[in-house]
Amino acid sequence: MKLIHALIITTFGCSVSRAVTTATPKECFATTEDRIKNLQPCSTTTDSQETWTLNLDCEPLQAIDGFGAAWTDATTFLFDQLSESDQDKLMTDLFTTKGIGMEFMRMTIGQSDLTPDSRWSFDENDGLPDKDLSNWSLTEQGERMRKWILRMGDYNPDILLLGSQWSPPGWMKQNNNLRWEFRDSYVQYFVNFLQAYITVGIELDAITLQNEPLHTAPLSGEAWTMFMDSEYAAILSNATFEAIRREGLSTKIWAYDHNTDHPEYPQYVMDNSPSVDTVAWHCYGGGFSPLKDFAAANPGVKQYMTECWLHETSGEGFFDLPQFIMRPIQNGASGSLAWTLAGSVDLDVSYPGGCEQCTGIVQVNQKVADYELTGDYYKLGQFSKFVRKGARYLHVDGDYVWDDGTGVESAAFVNTDGSTVIVIMNKFQDDLTVTLGGVDGGDVVGVVQGRSVTTWLL
Ligand SMILES: *[C@@H]1O[C@H](CO)[C@@H](O)[C@H](O)[C@H]1NC(C)=O
Ligand SMILES: *[C@@H]1O[C@H](CO)[C@@H](O)[C@H](O)[C@H]1NC(C)=O
């Protein structure tokens, strides 16, 4: 399975042609805050006094590669506990369009803060230096991850796959920085990892060298963090890129993998490591407008929102997930990822000091070996099921959100088959009659339920 994609360019001109001047959407699907509707058909013709106007801009903008979530050790540990038939049902729900058909995924390389077992890496070597990596091995945890990534390929072999490292082996580090005398080992460590996947026929599309490189960890986080400044990142990106190409692999290196409040970091990496043309951003500081500025300063750059946490049982807002998908896209991103794919209903799968509140789009109950699809699963599906790889983003005029959080946000897309999709967040309690202008053949008018994420197929 080779997970490399060509960019598909569509020619497009809002090709929704109709005989009448006003029409209702062809299809409507909604997920509601009251959890009565979970990615289910909705009526667009119910009565509503409240109105809203949106206007579609037909100029196709950036291509979309997909939406999805992140595989962690916790995820694979939990999925392993399900019955074979539940596993099959779940993978169908996650990776085929019978379910939500996710097409962009992230995986941890080695341990993260969502590792339920003891500290591990591919060459922990009892803490002793192993410069030539003679004791490198995929290990049990690594085998488990690889098994699930392989399995994912059975359901969709064409998933954009990003691997991110949280920490190299302990012996490569001092004061949570890379020991520079081990930089060649560090590079080879990635090559060994990629080779272990090539062996079973998987080529990762991209890696980031360090998750959240500006994270200065508490001592408890030493197993799953490392600080790396932009200068080191540029040098190591160069070196790792060259080593990967020497092996004949085409995996790319994406820059940064951290918040948008320090765009100078990926800028430095791109300026000094010419092989890097893609930036991974997180959602925890800086908002998403820096993506727009970054694209303006770096024409042709690819950007993805690669991490935003789910915490459905501890104060996550209903619109958090649709916002962290929609807003990066509105600012130029080609995809967005939730952190994480699966968590435990008992919140007991994080590494000490790690994200105890993190939930997944799937929550597994270990006691009864069962799982549930969370509200976030359905909200993600409002995008991933209908906006398919190669779709182009279309800007919509008319979004507005008041200080009290009420309002409307939207994003439209044209798929490669010419079908047009709009996702609308109605942040009011009341239903809204939305008029969508700018569509060939006349306005599309329909009701969008209050407190819902709604997808119209035009
Ligand atoms: C090599 O790794 C194995 C586990 O994979 C470990 O038991 C052994 O102690 C390691 N060797 C050394 C020299 O530390
Ligand atoms: C990275 O490699 C390029 C040549 O491909 C070189 O121009 C640049 O100086 C290198 N950057 C660093 C930081 O080593």
Side-chain angles (χ1 to χ4, degrees):
M1 162 171 96
K2 199 163 161 69
L3 302 168
I4 303 290
H5 313 289
L7 193 75
I8 301 159
I9 308 289
T10 52
T11 51
F12 172 71
C14 275
S15 54
V16 183
S17 50
R18 287 198 182 81
V20 292
T21 54
T22 302
T24 52
K26 285 198 191 98
E27 285 187 86
C28 174
F29 297 89
T31 298
T32 55
E33 187 171 36
D34 59 19
R35 299 235 33 201
I36 288 173
K37 275 200 166 61
N38 295 298
L39 194 53
Q40 279 159 329
C42 34
S43 165
T44 55
T45 55
T46 47
D47 255 354
S48 169
Q49 303 302 311
E50 309 294 330
T51 61
W52 195 277
T53 303
L54 296 172
N55 213 43
L56 190 64
D57 183 340
C58 287
E59 187 199 341
L61 299 172
Q62 79 274 13
I64 301 299
D65 289 316
F67 309 103
W71 290 95
T72 67
D73 290 338
T75 304
T76 60
F77 169 79
L78 292 164
F79 281 8
D80 259 9
Q81 299 179 40
L82 301 173
S83 70
E84 183 71 24
S85 64
D86 273 357
Q87 289 175 351
D88 177 55
K89 188 163 165 286
L90 182 53
M91 295 298 274
T92 303
D93 282 342
L94 294 171
F95 300 112
T96 78
T97 47
K98 285 180 196 148
I100 62 169
M102 294 187 292
E103 296 181 289
F104 175 28
M105 294 296 289
R106 188 180 186 214
M107 59 172 286
T108 53
I109 300 176
Q111 111 155 69
S112 72
D113 63 316
L114 286 168
T115 287
D117 316 291
S118 54
R119 181 172 182 167
W120 75 280
S121 71
F122 302 113
D123 195 358
E124 206 48 37
N125 207 38
D126 300 332
L128 301 171
D130 182 24
K131 197 168 183 172
D132 59 2
L133 304 182
S134 56
N135 213 12
W136 196 98
S137 83
L138 196 53
T139 79
E140 191 187 328
Q141 294 95 325
E143 298 265 7
R144 194 162 64 206
M145 177 67 77
R146 190 176 65 176
K147 177 189 74 180
W148 279 102
I149 297 296
L150 255 181
R151 184 119 178 233
M152 175 170 76
D154 294 341
Y155 294 82
N156 180 356
D158 197 27
I159 283 171
L160 178 68
L161 181 60
L162 166 70
S164 300
Q165 174 161 267
W166 264 243
S167 174
W171 56 264
M172 284 193 201
K173 303 197 294 182
Q174 191 164 36
N175 298 329
N176 220 30
N177 281 268
L178 184 64
R179 290 171 68 175
W180 204 232
E181 72 263 38
F182 292 133
R183 62 187 179 279
D184 294 342
S185 318
Y186 172 90
V187 167
Q188 189 59 39
Y189 185 80
F190 278 109
V191 172
N192 286 9
F193 165 77
L194 293 172
Q195 289 289 13
Y197 274 67
I198 289 292
T199 306
V200 296
I202 300 169
E203 182 166 37
L204 276 77
D205 292 273
I207 57 172
T208 54
L209 300 184
Q210 179 59 48
N211 171 66
E212 303 200 337
L214 296 176
H215 205 49
T216 41
L219 276 181
S220 62
E222 224 247 314
W224 47 269
T225 61
M226 188 173 80
F227 179 82
M228 183 188 287
D229 70 19
S230 55
E231 260 178 75
Y232 272 32
I235 296 167
L236 293 168
S237 296
N238 258 8
T240 309
F241 175 80
E242 279 167 23
I244 289 172
R245 289 300 175 275
R246 266 201 306 275
E247 297 294 319
L249 309 181
S250 50
T251 302
K252 294 180 84 168
I253 297 170
W254 293 358
Y256 193 41
D257 227 355
H258 209 168
N259 296 333
T260 60
D261 51 0
H262 285 287
E264 74 283 359
Y265 187 115
Q267 188 66 61
Y268 182 90
V269 174
M270 284 185 57
D271 290 347
N272 291 282
S273 186
S275 63
V276 177
D277 62 4
T278 302
V279 181
W281 304 100
H282 293 190
C283 75
Y284 311 112
F288 296 113
S289 60
L291 274 70
K292 196 161 261 177
D293 302 335
F294 203 86
N298 300 276
V301 67
K302 272 239 172 191
Q303 304 183 83
Y304 299 92
M305 205 297 293
T306 51
E307 188 185 309
C308 203
W309 75 315
L310 305 177
H311 47 114
E312 240 190 13
T313 55
S314 59
E316 182 184 320
F318 175 72
F319 292 107
D320 285 5
L321 181 143
Q323 278 169 196
F324 75 61
I325 293 190
M326 201 180 270
R327 291 177 181 176
I329 299 299
Q330 290 168 338
N331 285 284
S334 290
S336 191
L337 295 171
W339 176 255
T340 66
L341 179 55
S344 157
V345 293
D346 294 316
L347 303 176
D348 54 359
V349 288
S350 66
Y351 194 77
C355 183
E356 283 171 24
Q357 303 306 315
C358 278
T359 57
I361 62 169
V362 178
Q363 286 291 87
V364 174
N365 184 335
Q366 299 185 65
K367 292 191 191 88
V368 293
D370 202 357
Y371 71 92
E372 60 182 24
L373 303 173
T374 69
D376 283 324
Y377 167 90
Y378 296 106
K379 285 178 263 178
L380 184 55
Q382 292 288 147
F383 297 84
S384 59
K385 190 178 175 77
F386 308 107
V387 181
R388 304 301 295 164
K389 193 179 291 294
R392 301 282 293 271
Y393 167 62
L394 306 175
H395 172 74
V396 182
D397 272 323
D399 286 5
Y400 194 81
V401 179
W402 275 274
D403 286 345
D404 69 358
T406 60
V408 169
E409 290 184 66
S410 61
F413 306 86
V414 56
N415 281 307
T416 54
D417 65 3
S419 63
T420 308
V421 174
I422 182 168
V423 185
I424 303 169
M425 290 186 243
N426 177 0
K427 298 182 158 186
F428 294 101
Q429 291 297 336
D430 291 333
D431 297 353
L432 279 178
T433 299
V434 174
T435 300
L436 177 65
V439 183
D440 283 357
D443 293 347
V444 176
V445 182
V447 170
V448 176
Q449 218 179 309
R451 304 298 291 176
S452 78
V453 186
T454 294
T455 305
W456 286 356
L457 314 186
L458 299 183

